[in-house]
Amino acid sequence: QVQVVESGGGLVQPGGSLRLSCAASGNILSIYDMGWYRQAPGKQRELVASSGRKIYAESVKGRFTISRDNANNTVYLQMNSLTPEDTAVYYCNVGGLLRGPRPFTSWGQGTQVTVSS
């Protein structure tokens, strides 16, 4: 009942920037958190940034910025000074209430970010 769609991934050189977008739609009453996670090959999925909890992974502090457009149920991740260690599939996670009400948490399909020269 909730669709989460990410966009903005791609190939970028070290030191470059990318901006990811994530939009949630469906029978949503309210959203309390929208965040970004990433999973590199052979590694566990990890939290990158949460707009609701206002936290960042230590490895991205000072380089990544999360922002949210509440009116459009959209969250962005501005990524600057990218390094090869940022290469991963980036997933958007949305948590909130469906009309009813009942809680939900939904994931997007993921968008690939590759940092390479």
Side-chain angles (χ1 to χ4, degrees):
Q1 288 186 309
V2 176
Q3 295 78 44
V4 178
V5 179
E6 303 112 333
S7 61
L11 173 64
V12 63
Q13 291 187 340
S17 298
L18 279 176
R19 189 190 194 209
L20 305 183
S21 300
C22 167
S25 61
N27 199 25
I28 298 171
L29 179 62
S30 64
I31 292 177
Y32 54 76
D33 196 13
M34 300 182 80
W36 289 95
Y37 291 71
R38 67 185 181 186
Q39 187 166 19
K43 294 187 177 181
Q44 289 188 329
R45 189 173 298 189
E46 62 173 355
L47 174 68
V48 177
S50 163
S51 63
R53 288 173 283 170
K54 295 179 172 45
I55 58 174
Y56 292 88
E58 285 295 325
S59 60
V60 307
K61 281 183 179 178
R63 300 187 298 122
F64 290 12
T65 302
I66 190 169
S67 60
R68 192 162 139 188
D69 178 356
N70 292 323
N72 293 299
N73 291 341
T74 301
V75 66
Y76 305 95
L77 186 69
Q78 178 66 44
M79 305 186 294
N80 299 327
S81 302
L82 285 161
T83 74
E85 288 68 39
D86 295 315
T87 296
V89 178
Y90 284 70
Y91 297 91
C92 179
N93 177 263
V94 181
L97 288 176
L98 296 174
R99 299 185 192 282
R102 53 191 175 95
F104 77 91
T105 181
S106 295
W107 292 89
Q109 79 287 354
T111 185
Q112 176 70 46
V113 171
T114 302
V115 184
S116 175
S117 56

